[in-house]
């Protein structure tokens, strides 16, 4: 069984963080979360990290792996070579709580303002009528609220008040399928210097998103919608 | 009333217990050594049981499941995908169970109905076209982290304190009565004592260890299972094999994935569970029989976790024989006052487990407060971060 | 708990670790944008010489023909081209057009920038030199 080297960012707020090497034996079929959990179980009980579902559904295990935002639970060890350390650091642009742990509540509060979670259509049905024997379809939204996109976004680095890719994508989803939501309020939320207009199209959100959300395109569609609304107001007066 | 109850573990059981306690007016502190749902609750199969799976072997569990299934639909819609489930017969052997299965469901109050194979294939185009029969049941799917967060968010709104990354390392006694717990903060390394009138042990597969800290024995058997998630959602509904529960006989869809599970073997240490390679092969093999080409979207994750099954003396070690129902132990019977363990069960039955545990807590304190968790809708999981 | 020190966050946009084409394109866009603003001021400062009569201007033009200065002109053209071409890319992407092709568009912008700069540099050195 190969021995993997992990270089984990360790430390607590108030102190200066450092990178420390750990060695852990695991088969190549294992995932990064297994390695981190094993280090916690067998080597250092003070290691802080988040995880729950281990299948890219809960959004808890986001970190930066060799600089890039990933979910530990679907990052296979076989991607790496045992000779070179795999560097694991916490997500950026969130309050840091220590080691690999960050406080995701700023993002969650913004998502709560949008208020979506369940879709009423899915890819198996798309826009066709539901097959006989099925009354309705419900499915979780694609966004697992992992925060990878926020960490990858260079605008997030400079503007704390920026709504962020996930939230803007959520607004766009809500506008498309309002589920009783207040669309005028959502448009106002997005139509803000810290909203849809703050994006600089660095495209990193879409590149790191593990769940097919494509926030960059969503922000583009949102802007088109906002521009259209504005035109309508100029021409027709009022929404 | 200002009794303080400490709940150990923030899995589904601990979260539901905290909610029930807070609703009944207790002061509550939840102590969890990791993230919410970092134990068994986070990492399971995500099936909101209709009870169909247990109808034939374990009717008691089956009845609990269907009752709780209907309650959860009301109280936590944001954590559920509700698309029903199918029990399909893959071969003649399976088919032979059909009548018994339908009768057992009827017996347990599970609304099951057979649908024509042609309709089943229309609903589930990726299903093996050679199935011989299909029965539709009200299975569902939950998001386990949100499931726990919803209970905890509501508990918090009602005054509960939730301490994550805080590990119970010892018990504090006053004579033979538990007076609190000693905890270690994983962030600072500091230890301190939290005093309480009652301590509820909801540590899932670790509840045996916690009980041992208090000097009592809980017959919990950590029984692990493997699950594999793939890169494509092949099925709309949960697909079960129409047979007695066995290895690799269910594929649960969720969001954009489908998850095949599971297996069953006894583990000593649930902290880290190495995944047996032969289990992975077996599961993939079985999945192929339900949905040919199952791994064509790529494998996304392989994970294992341990169930807290309640052991009975002299029962086989692999765990399939153990009942999936739950057990609440008032350790006064073991000579330790102020200490209750609630374990076993399922995520689906967490609310019922909590009701039972809090009834026991109330009885111990001589209180009579009705349980209201059947009716009170839970807050969104996001409210946990308020 | 406390957050990372502020200066670290304000400069976070320069941090290229883990970033791909989109992030690099954004960084270059900002750097060339800032460069162009600085150039604009230098340019205005230099134009002031025109008010000081033909001698001053001719002396400047003589210096402007030195190879070093011409190389700087090349750099300027490089910056302007990148900024303008990527500006078109960003305008489209910002409206959600062509997002799946953003990386390829970036390399296209780079290729076109380098190509035109090379032609311009050739022209500059053959004409001026
Ligand atoms: C493979 C598998 C598949 C399953 N699938 C399903 C399914 O599809 N549907 C379903 O309804 N049920 C399912 N179950 C059952 C279900 O997951 C469990 O019954 C349920 O999650 C148990 O929850 P719990 O809160 O009791 O335990 P846990 O979730 O394990 O919670 C215990 C908590 O206690 C914490 N803890 C431990 N020690 C300490 C300490 N010293 N101090 C502080 N905290 C501590 C742990 O960190 C943990 O978070 C499945 C189980 C398995 C194993
Ligand atoms: C054809 C010419 C030009 C085009 C098409 C263009 C296009 C753009 C676009 C689309 C942006 C926004 C980029 C983003 O969202 O990140 C931008 C930013 C900017 N541009 Fe230009 N531009 C041009 C010329 C200039 C000139 C001549 C200057 C300087 C005098 C300049 C200075 C800047 C600056 C400073 C920024 C801000 C960069 C940032 O905030 O990241 N641009 N330009
Ligand atoms: S948009 Fe994608 S990367 Fe961002 S939070 Fe949602 S799932 Fe994560
Ligand atoms: S542990 Fe849930 S997303 Fe990785």
């Amino acid at each position: 069984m190969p021995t993997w080297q992990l270089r984990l960012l360790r430390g607590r707020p108030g102190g200066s963080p450092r990178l420390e090497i750990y060695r852990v034996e695991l088969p190549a079929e294992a995932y990064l979360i297994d390695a981190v959990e094993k280090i916690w179980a067998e080597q250092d009980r003070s290691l802080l990290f988040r995880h729950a579902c281990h299948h890219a559904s809960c959004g808890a295990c986001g970190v930066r792996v060799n600089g890039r935002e990933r979910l530990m639970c679907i990052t296979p060890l076989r991607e790496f070579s045992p000779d070179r350390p795999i560097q694991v650091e916490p997500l950026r642009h969130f309050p840091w709580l220590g080691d690999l742990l960050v406080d995701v509540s700023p993002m969650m509060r913004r998502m709560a303002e949008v208020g979506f979670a369940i879709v009423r259509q899915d890819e198996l049905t798309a826009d066709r009528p539901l097959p006989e024997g099925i009354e309705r379809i419900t499915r979780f939204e694609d966004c697992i609220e992992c925060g990878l996109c926020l960490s990858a976004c260079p605008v997030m680095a400079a503007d704390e008040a920026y709504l962020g890719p996930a939230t803007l994508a959520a607004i766009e989803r809500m506008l498309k399928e309002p589920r009783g939501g207040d669309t005028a309020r959502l448009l106002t939320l997005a139509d803000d210097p810290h909203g849809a207009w703050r994006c600089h199209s660095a495209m990193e959100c879409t590149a790191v998103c593990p769940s097919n959300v494509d926030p960059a395109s969503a922000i583009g569609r949102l802007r088109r919608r906002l521009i259209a609304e504005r035109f309508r107001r100029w021409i027709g007066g009022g929404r | 009333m200002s009794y303080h109850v400490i709940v150990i573990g923030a899995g589904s059981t601990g979260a539901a217990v905290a909610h029930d306690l807070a609703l009944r007016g207790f002061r509550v502190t939840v102590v969890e050594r990791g993230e919410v749902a970092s134990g068994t609750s986070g990492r399971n199969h995500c099936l909101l049981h209709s009870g169909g799976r247990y109808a034939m072997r374990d009717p008691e569990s089956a009845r609990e499941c269907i009752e709780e299934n209907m309650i959860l639909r009301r109280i936590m819609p944001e954590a559920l995908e509700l698309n029903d489930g199918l029990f399909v017969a893959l071969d003649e052997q399976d088919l032979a169970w059909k009548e018994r299965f339908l009768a057992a469901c009827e017996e347990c109050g599970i609304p099951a109905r057979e649908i024509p194979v042609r309709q089943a294939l229309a609903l589930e185009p990726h299903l093996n076209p050679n199935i011989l029969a299909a029965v539709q049941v009200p299975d569902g799917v939950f998001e386990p982290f949100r499931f726990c967060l919803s209970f905890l968010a509501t508990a918090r709104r009602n005054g509960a304190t939730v301490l994550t990354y805080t590990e119970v390392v010892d018990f504090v006694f006053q004579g033979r009565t538990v007076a609190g717990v000693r905890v270690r903060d994983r962030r600072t390394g500091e230890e301190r004592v939290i005093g309480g009138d009652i301590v509820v042990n909801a540590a899932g597969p670790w509840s045996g260890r916690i009980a041992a800290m208090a000097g009592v024995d809980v017959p919990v058997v950590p029984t692990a299972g493997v699950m594999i998630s793939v890169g494509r959602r092949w099925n709309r509904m949960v697909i079960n094999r129409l047979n007695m529960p066995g290895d690799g006989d269910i594929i649960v869809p969720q969001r954009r994935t489908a998850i095949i599970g599971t297996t069953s073997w006894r583990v000593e240490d649930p902290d880290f569970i190495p995944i047996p390679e032969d289990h992975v092969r077996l599961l993939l093999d079985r999945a192929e029989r339900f949905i040919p080409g199952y791994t064509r979207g790529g494998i996304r994750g392989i994970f294992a976790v341990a169930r807290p099954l309640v052991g009975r003396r002299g029962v086989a070690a692999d765990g399939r024989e153990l009942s999936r129902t739950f057990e609440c132990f008032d350790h006064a019977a073991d000579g330790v006052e102020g200490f209750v363990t609630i374990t076993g069960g399922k995520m689906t039955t967490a609310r019922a487990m909590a009701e039972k545990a809090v009834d026991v807590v109330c009885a111990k304190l001589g209180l009579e407060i009705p349980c209201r968790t059947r009716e009170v809708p839970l807050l969104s999981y996001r409210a946990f971060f308020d | 708990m406390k957050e990372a020190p502020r200066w670290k966050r304000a400069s976070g946009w320069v941090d290229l670790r883990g970033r791909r084409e989109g992030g690099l394109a954004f960084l270059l866009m900002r750097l060339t944008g800032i460069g162009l603003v600085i150039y604009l001021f230098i340019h205005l400062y230099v134009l002031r010489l025109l008010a000081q009569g033909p001698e001053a201007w001719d002396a400047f033009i003589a210096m402007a023909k030195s190879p070093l200065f011409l190389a700087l002109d090349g750099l300027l053209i490089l910056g302007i081209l990148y900024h303008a071409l990527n500006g078109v890319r960003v305008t489209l992407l910002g409206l959600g057009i062509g997002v799946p092709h953003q990386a390829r568009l970036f390399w296209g912008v780079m290729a076109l920038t380098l190509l035109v700069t090379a032609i311009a540099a050739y022209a500059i050195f053959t004409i001026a030199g």
Side-chain angles (χ1 to χ4, degrees), chain A residues 71 107 111 142-150 165-167 169 205 208-215:
Chain A
L71 295 176
M107 174 182 67
M111 295 301 270
D142 278 343
C143 178
I144 58 172
E145 295 160 38
C146 61
L148 298 196
C149 55
L150 272 70
T167 307
C205 49
V208 297
C209 178
S211 203
N212 311 307
V213 176
D214 191 2

Side-chain angles (χ1 to χ4, degrees), chain A residues 199-201, chain C residues 26 29-30 33-34 36-37 40 83-84 87-88 90-91:
Chain A
C199 166
H200 283 271
S201 309
Chain C
F26 163 74
M29 187 67 178
R30 189 162 270 192
I34 294 169
L36 287 175
V37 171
L40 185 66
H83 189 91
V88 176
V90 164
T91 306

Side-chain angles (χ1 to χ4, degrees), chain A residues 40, chain B residues 7-15 31-49 54 65 142 147-148 163 166-170 183 186 201-207 209-210 213 223-227 250 252 261-263 271 303-309 324 342-350 353:
Chain A
W40 164 77
Chain B
V7 181
I8 305 176
S12 54
T13 312
V31 192
E32 162 61 54
R33 66 176 181 178
E35 176 58 275
V36 169
S38 57
T40 309
S41 300
R43 222 179 296 183
N44 64 41
H45 215 157
C46 312
L47 170 67
L48 178 69
H49 285 272
Y54 303 120
C65 284
F142 50 73
F147 184 110
C148 300
L163 303 174
T166 305
E167 181 164 12
V168 171
V169 290
D170 205 357
V183 299
R186 219 163 118 183
N201 171 10
W206 294 272
S207 52
R209 277 200 205 164
I210 297 286
M213 282 184 201
T223 315
V226 177
M227 289 148 287
I250 166 167
V252 182
T262 163
T263 57
D271 275 0
F303 50 111
V305 75
R307 306 165 183 86
L309 295 190
R324 299 299 160 101
I342 174 79
T343 191
K346 309 245 76 198
M347 192 109 166
T348 306
T349 58
M353 295 169 74

Side-chain angles (χ1 to χ4, degrees), chain A residues 12 26 31 34 37-38 40-41 45-58 74 101 104-105 108-109 111-112 115-118 123-125 131-134 136-145 211-212, chain B residues 33 35-38 42-44 46 77-83 113 119 123 126 136 141-143 145-146 165 167 186-188 229 233-237 254-257 259 271-272 299-303 381-382 385-386:
Chain A
R12 296 291 184 265
L26 275 172
Y31 292 81
D34 301 323
E37 191 175 38
K38 198 172 184 205
W40 164 77
R45 285 275 169 169
S46 71
L47 179 63
L48 299 172
F49 61 104
R50 288 179 88 219
H51 65 131
C53 71
H54 289 219
H55 66 270
S57 153
C58 72
I74 53 168
L101 186 67
V104 295
S105 41
M108 287 300 186
R109 283 196 288 266
M111 295 301 270
F116 79 146
I118 303 284
E123 57 272 44
L124 287 165
T125 348
E132 198 196 329
I134 290 210
R136 60 167 183 179
I137 293 268
T138 62
R139 181 159 96 51
F140 297 129
E141 279 288 354
D142 278 343
C143 178
I144 58 172
E145 295 160 38
S211 203
N212 311 307
Chain B
R33 66 176 181 178
E35 176 58 275
V36 169
S38 57
R43 222 179 296 183
N44 64 41
C46 312
E78 254 194 47
L80 306 177
E81 288 186 4
L82 297 171
N83 301 317
R113 62 186 178 111
Q119 190 189 351
L123 294 176
H126 298 291
Q136 193 171 347
V141 177
F142 50 73
E143 209 300 302
F145 191 36
R146 294 179 182 180
Y165 298 94
E167 181 164 12
R186 219 163 118 183
R187 278 160 300 200
T188 58
S229 147
R233 180 182 178 131
W234 294 104
N235 40 330
R236 179 177 352 224
M237 296 190 249
Q254 193 202 46
R255 200 177 270 112
R256 276 180 190 261
T257 186
I259 308 164
D271 275 0
F272 182 79
I299 291 179
R300 213 159 61 137
I302 304 176
F303 50 111
Y381 62 95
R382 292 194 189 117
F385 300 94
D386 277 354

